[in-house]
Amino acid sequence: MPDTTPPAASSIARGGFTPALAERLHALLGDKGMLTDPGDMAGYLREWRGLWTGRSPAILRPATTEECAEAVRLCAEAGVAMVPQAGNTSMVGASVPHEAGEEVVISVSRMNRILELDPVDMTMTVEAGAVLATVQQAALEADCFFPLSLGAEGTAQIGGNISTNAGGNTTLRYGNARDLVLGLEVVLPDGRVLDMLRRLRKDNTGYCLRHLFIGAEGTLGIITKAVLKLFPRPRETELAFVAVESVEAALALLNRFQRHDGASLSAFEYMMRFGLDLVFRHIPGAVDPLSARHEHYCLVELSSPRPQAQLRASMEAVLEAALEEGLVRDAVIAESDAQRAALWRLREEHSEAQKREGASIKNDVSVPVSRVPALLAEASAACRAIVPGIRVCAFGHVGDGNIHFNLAVPEGADDAAFLRRWDDVAAAVNGVVRRLGGSFSAEHGVGRLKTKTLAAWREGPELDVMRAIKRSVDPANLMNPGKVVPLA
């Protein structure tokens, strides 16, 4: 198991959630806005993979920025630490409280409105609790497109996506969440509201403060509203499921598409056969679209706002040339929206299939794109040396160098015993990643899971600056303490 030991007492703000404070918060938020019944609170306290289950005196659910700011102010005055929470889909324990039970959870789930959509500015202003899929749909209904897309989009909320700088399937073309945000509104740890809800694409007026809060995982404040960038709605989309000769062949194919029509390439995903076998085994309705078995696969998507972009011809031309040269072994191109959804499902259900298979050790890493083959080969060998029989399930956004290097328990082995090797296995993977010039956290964040790793990788001036920012914005360490930045 990863290290689940609570942080040292000195790193957690010790406050007093007194009956008087509870009464004032209830008067502010009402029955819907303040939960204290254990049954009502349970879903807010448990990390979705079950790695941590925290405790809290109350779940606060403000309905407006004003309520959120006042709730934060009251907690700050009482010295009560706060854990911001959106959809609670964090992969690193960032959104649940610690086991000591001294922190309140502040959920933005009731702040979920689409406030404004401007198809001329190509912007959408939303509250932080808006579900990502709802934001996507609102954009489509206005004949626009919001490109952030990930497996948890039916549950994840936009404030959490921004706070974790979520990546996803379209990063190759559109960037991470950071690249899709023009403005923010944030409640600071003392209850003041930082209003940066600007729709400007150019604004060189001092430090760009919104970027401090994007990717900070709630350690500097609570994101309450955001101005999002929109794009023209795709009119034509083509998706191909491709069996390739090797990981090196996958990169060669990526390069072919980039050179042929890079502006249309919206996603390029990698999967290995073992991961697909788990999907076919555990996900009802999942079927192999190809007649023969292969070891390496890619999912390639082209899209364009032009209704006659001839993407089918582009897809076929690149694949046919790659087939003739031996890079591609077989391929199928989706013929309908239903087929596209079925092919994407093979990629998106990897995490659920792994969960049903048994224990798994997960690594969200990135390396320069050219070094992905070395990552897969070296990290696989290193892990097999530690745990004989370990099963490698690597997949992900190979187009931007982000691989989810996950490892399944050996067949017939004990889950608990396997998870006790988590730190050893993760250290081996990270050692390879570091040699290759990569990152131990590509898109899932640091949270509670990887704070010690951050301290080891970002030591010196970089870590000093991070600590200085945290202490300046949150001197009492009240906002999501013990997460992301180790203060000692």
Side-chain angles (χ1 to χ4, degrees):
M1 290 285 288
D3 183 7
T4 58
T5 305
S10 61
S11 69
I12 297 179
R14 301 294 175 180
F17 192 85
T18 63
L21 175 60
E23 185 177 345
R24 296 179 72 185
L25 288 169
H26 185 267
L28 171 69
L29 302 173
D31 290 341
K32 289 184 178 180
M34 181 173 171
L35 307 179
T36 56
D37 179 83
D40 295 335
M41 296 170 63
Y44 298 86
L45 303 178
R46 187 174 186 271
E47 189 262 352
W48 78 273
R49 286 187 295 174
L51 296 179
W52 296 281
T53 299
R55 296 170 54 239
S56 177
I59 310 298
L60 308 183
R61 303 170 66 238
T64 65
T65 296
E66 292 72 25
E67 285 186 1
C68 183
E70 181 63 11
V72 169
R73 187 187 68 80
L74 291 173
C75 290
E77 285 183 351
V80 174
M82 296 157 275
V83 178
Q85 188 180 102
N88 196 22
T89 59
S90 170
M91 300 286 284
V92 290
S95 57
V96 292
H98 292 95
E99 296 80 357
E102 298 173 348
E103 303 156 317
V104 298
V105 173
I106 301 184
S107 167
V108 297
S109 58
R110 294 177 69 209
M111 303 168 60
N112 54 20
R113 294 176 299 163
I114 308 293
L115 299 174
E116 184 179 8
L117 195 154
D118 191 321
V120 176
D121 281 344
M122 296 293 278
T123 61
M124 185 192 303
T125 304
V126 301
E127 291 183 319
V131 173
L132 176 55
T134 303
V135 173
Q136 295 168 341
Q137 185 59 35
L140 292 176
E141 290 173 359
D143 203 31
C144 297
F145 181 56
F146 183 65
L148 185 64
S149 177
L150 39 90
E153 60 194 30
T155 305
Q157 296 167 14
I158 197 68
N161 297 145
I162 296 169
S163 188
T164 58
N165 189 30
N169 302 326
T170 62
T171 297
L172 173 64
R173 180 162 168 184
Y174 296 100
N176 293 325
R178 183 182 303 280
D179 303 296
L180 303 175
V181 176
L182 290 175
L184 287 181
E185 178 186 82
V186 180
V187 174
L188 296 172
D190 60 5
R192 290 181 297 161
V193 177
L194 182 56
D195 185 351
M196 304 174 289
L197 280 177
R198 305 181 187 100
R199 297 188 295 180
L200 301 175
R201 308 223 172 211
K202 289 185 176 180
D203 183 14
N204 282 332
T205 52
Y207 302 139
C208 190
L209 296 181
R210 72 177 183 273
H211 286 297
L212 282 180
F213 301 93
I214 301 173
E217 302 179 56
T219 59
L220 299 178
I222 302 175
I223 294 172
T224 48
K225 295 184 181 119
V227 179
L228 308 175
K229 293 181 186 177
L230 301 180
F231 296 82
R233 180 176 183 172
R235 302 291 179 185
E236 187 175 333
T237 301
E238 297 290 346
L239 182 70
F241 182 84
V242 185
V244 293
E245 175 66 23
S246 62
V247 183
E248 290 81 1
L251 293 191
L253 184 64
L254 168 65
N255 188 257
R256 293 290 187 91
F257 276 105
Q258 288 173 323
R259 292 179 181 276
H260 184 82
D261 187 7
S264 295
L265 183 61
S266 52
F268 197 99
E269 299 287 302
Y270 169 79
M271 294 164 283
M272 61 192 307
R273 184 67 202 193
F274 175 66
L276 283 171
D277 283 340
L278 295 184
V279 173
F280 300 145
R281 182 183 307 162
H282 295 292
I283 305 301
V287 296
D288 194 335
L290 302 178
S291 58
R293 181 184 179 91
H294 305 277
E295 292 303 316
H296 307 277
Y297 300 85
C298 295
L299 200 60
V300 185
E301 184 181 83
L302 307 179
S303 64
S304 173
R306 294 180 290 127
Q308 296 179 340
Q310 298 183 329
L311 297 183
R312 182 77 173 212
S314 292
M315 182 76 81
E316 291 175 346
V318 175
L319 291 178
E320 287 172 3
L323 186 64
E324 290 177 0
E325 294 188 20
L327 298 176
V328 168
R329 290 191 163 188
D330 199 1
V332 60
I333 302 175
E335 297 290 348
S336 66
D337 289 344
Q339 287 184 7
R340 277 195 291 273
L343 293 179
W344 266 116
R345 189 168 179 240
L346 298 180
R347 161 64 180 85
E348 295 293 356
E349 292 286 5
H350 267 58
S351 294
E352 181 61 30
Q354 289 175 81
K355 187 175 182 179
R356 297 181 185 182
E357 176 71 8
S360 63
I361 295 173
K362 299 180 182 297
N363 300 275
D364 165 48
V365 298
S366 64
V367 295
V369 175
S370 61
R371 296 176 180 174
V372 168
L375 166 67
L376 296 181
E378 295 178 25
S380 296
C383 292
R384 288 172 180 144
I386 295 171
V387 182
I390 199 169
R391 296 176 292 170
V392 177
C393 183
F395 63 96
H397 321 297
V398 69
D400 56 48
N402 174 197
I403 296 295
H404 301 297
F405 193 83
N406 296 347
L407 301 137
V409 60
E411 288 189 280
D414 179 69
D415 280 2
F418 175 65
L419 290 176
R420 284 195 290 269
R421 305 304 303 274
W422 187 304
D423 288 345
D424 295 335
V425 170
V429 174
N430 287 340
V432 173
V433 170
R434 197 166 194 175
R435 288 198 303 274
L436 296 175
S439 171
F440 66 90
S441 178
E443 64 177 358
H444 292 163
V446 177
R448 179 175 174 180
L449 181 65
K450 302 178 181 179
T451 52
K452 292 180 180 178
T453 308
L454 184 139
W457 282 51
R458 297 291 182 257
E459 57 190 354
E462 191 171 4
L463 183 57
D464 289 344
V465 171
M466 290 186 193
R467 286 170 168 162
I469 291 171
K470 170 67 172 174
R471 287 169 175 147
S472 176
V473 177
D474 184 19
N477 192 25
L478 292 175
M479 196 61 68
N480 220 6
K483 314 285 179 59
V484 185
V485 179
L487 295 181

